[in-house]
Amino acid sequence: MSHSAAPGSAGALHSSRLQQHLQQFITQHHIEGHLLVALSGGLDSCVLLHLLATLPNNPGIRLSVMHVHHGLSPHADQWAEHCQRLCASHAIPLQVVHVQVPRDSGQGLEAAARHLRYEAMRAAHADYVVLAHHQDDQAETVMLQLLRGAGMRGLAAMASYDAQQGLLRPLLDISRAQLAEYAAQHQLEWVEDESNHDTHYDRNFCRQQVLPLLEQRFPGAGKALARSALQAAEAESLQMALAELDAANALRGDALNVARLQALGEVRARNLLRWWLSSRLRYLPHREHLQEMLRQLLTAADDAKLALLLDGEQGLWLRRYRGHAYVVAQRKSADLDIVWDQQPVVALPDGSQLKFEQQLGAGLSLNRLSGKPLHIRHRQGGEHFKPYANRPGRSLKHWLQEADMPPWQREQLPLVFAEDQLIWVPGIGMASHLQAQSHEDGLLICWSGSPLKDAN
């Protein structure tokens, strides 16, 4: 269904304010480059496109448009055609992307469609994606997050400028009523998605029934909710800054010191754990799950083999070893038995590489290897190794424990054997009796892209 707006008396004033608002947003955030406008064909995105298309004096900005065709509405083709006409009128290139929205993803139809939209827009590799979310959308998001029991991150809702994701929402301070007045002033046409009136969806229920009722009782409720999102974003920023300060004393590389975590007290410890996990996981655990993780980390015995699943699809686990917590990717590794064929780089099944380089007086003596074939294998158990000339040989298990290497890393090590003799172990070294002398040609081996950060 197509709609258009008739001019209103206050339209010129609102039109000028919106144009100034957008120009200030672009100047404040130093926006330039390729901007991809997400265009549904509805009122909000049509106003956004018109504002950007008519914005003067921005030579550093190049616009293009994407319309994602979900195929969920019988009017979907008409919406795409409307977007084509609109972009043609502004001489702005348009890409229509067709997606198939799964109805059984477990996310719900709305979430699945949103996920596909963002995937399509990220695939365009623009400098920024510009979205038409406005103040009323922000209020609805805050309301839904409150009802889900969200923390500061959830209540912060949508950011107007998200540099990490490359997302811009320049209309987040503007109400839908203001957008409608702008559309009236410029006699814009847009399409109406009939699903917006279906209160079966939570967001539509809030939009159609909850927020109007709140506005009747508490005028300005929507604006106040959106303002709360800004305050929550500031509080979240302070929490993250505190976590970074705490992390400076509690992190050792990628590992989190459990004793120092415990010394922070429950609230700061949970905040640090959440911050630490946020850079490693796609989705953060709920508060109750996070609290249980913290409890088990702090109360587990030193010799306990603590393993808590974080992400089954990615194979990520929370592990504890010798007083430190780790996020570990654990997948069943394939049997490894590769014969080195003199190539400088050997690609391993886990994506890492063994690099071989000949160098005078360093590494394994090529003369003493006597042309024996070199095999790359995983640990089987019972291996014996002597990396130091002045110390007796010991079991490989002994050396790995002495090196403080966590058990899950030990099983992934690519060991190098000369026939059946272990001659090189990442992070430990080479067999002492094969160490090249200053006058001998040697073979240096390095494990690149490994959990040990390039182990020689």
Side-chain angles (χ1 to χ4, degrees), residues 243-447:
E244 289 178 9
L245 290 174
D246 290 337
N249 293 320
L251 281 182
R252 188 192 71 177
D254 290 334
L256 186 60
N257 186 296
V258 174
R260 292 180 180 177
L261 183 68
Q262 188 165 28
L264 293 173
E266 182 181 333
V267 175
R268 283 177 69 173
R270 186 170 57 245
N271 184 56
L272 175 56
L273 181 60
R274 183 171 69 97
W275 173 88
W276 182 62
L277 292 175
S278 68
S279 63
R280 292 158 173 79
L281 301 179
R282 297 177 301 167
Y283 311 108
L284 279 175
H286 294 299
R287 177 187 171 89
E288 293 79 9
H289 193 190
L290 190 69
Q291 183 66 30
E292 180 59 18
M293 287 181 192
L294 180 63
R295 185 192 69 78
Q296 293 198 40
L297 274 178
L298 299 183
T299 60
D302 286 339
D303 59 352
K305 295 182 179 180
L306 182 67
L308 303 174
L309 183 62
L310 297 172
D311 186 328
E313 186 177 334
Q314 298 285 323
L316 296 178
W317 292 76
L318 179 65
R319 301 290 300 265
R320 173 175 166 162
Y321 176 70
R322 294 194 176 182
H324 287 79
Y326 299 80
V327 173
V328 180
Q330 285 184 267
R331 298 181 181 87
K332 186 176 180 181
S333 58
D335 291 337
L336 183 67
D337 193 349
I338 299 173
V339 179
W340 181 56
D341 192 25
Q342 307 292 319
Q343 65 266 52
V345 177
V346 176
L348 301 178
D350 64 358
S352 64
Q353 298 176 330
L354 278 188
K355 296 182 178 180
F356 296 80
E357 179 186 355
Q358 292 191 28
Q359 186 171 318
L360 183 67
L364 296 159
S365 168
L366 289 172
N367 180 52
R368 274 171 276 162
L369 283 173
S370 305
K372 294 176 182 177
L374 302 188
H375 291 258
I376 304 164
R377 302 182 185 129
H378 281 152
R379 181 181 173 212
Q380 300 297 316
E383 294 88 356
H384 190 270
F385 193 50
K386 190 178 187 301
Y388 307 105
N390 60 350
R391 296 181 63 181
R394 302 279 186 129
S395 70
L396 178 58
K397 179 180 179 180
H398 169 88
W399 296 119
L400 296 175
Q401 288 178 336
E402 186 176 276
D404 208 21
M405 189 178 296
W408 54 89
Q409 288 184 0
R410 302 174 200 168
E411 306 308 318
Q412 304 300 317
L413 294 176
L415 309 176
V416 178
F417 294 80
E419 295 181 335
D420 290 326
Q421 182 184 23
L422 181 59
I423 62 170
W424 181 83
V425 179
I428 303 296
M430 70 190 78
S432 60
H433 71 286
L434 292 175
Q435 170 70 55
Q437 301 301 310
S438 59
H439 63 280
E440 290 184 298
D441 289 330
L443 182 66
L444 286 172
I445 307 175
C446 174
W447 187 22

Side-chain angles (χ1 to χ4, degrees), residues 86-120:
L86 189 58
C87 291
S89 70
H90 292 296
I92 297 175
L94 167 70
Q95 181 182 8
V96 177
V97 177
H98 292 255
V99 297
Q100 294 289 329
V101 183
R103 297 180 181 272
D104 56 353
S105 66
Q107 300 175 284
L109 201 60
E110 278 184 304
R114 181 169 58 250
H115 174 74
L116 290 174
R117 278 199 304 276
Y118 279 88
E119 267 196 348

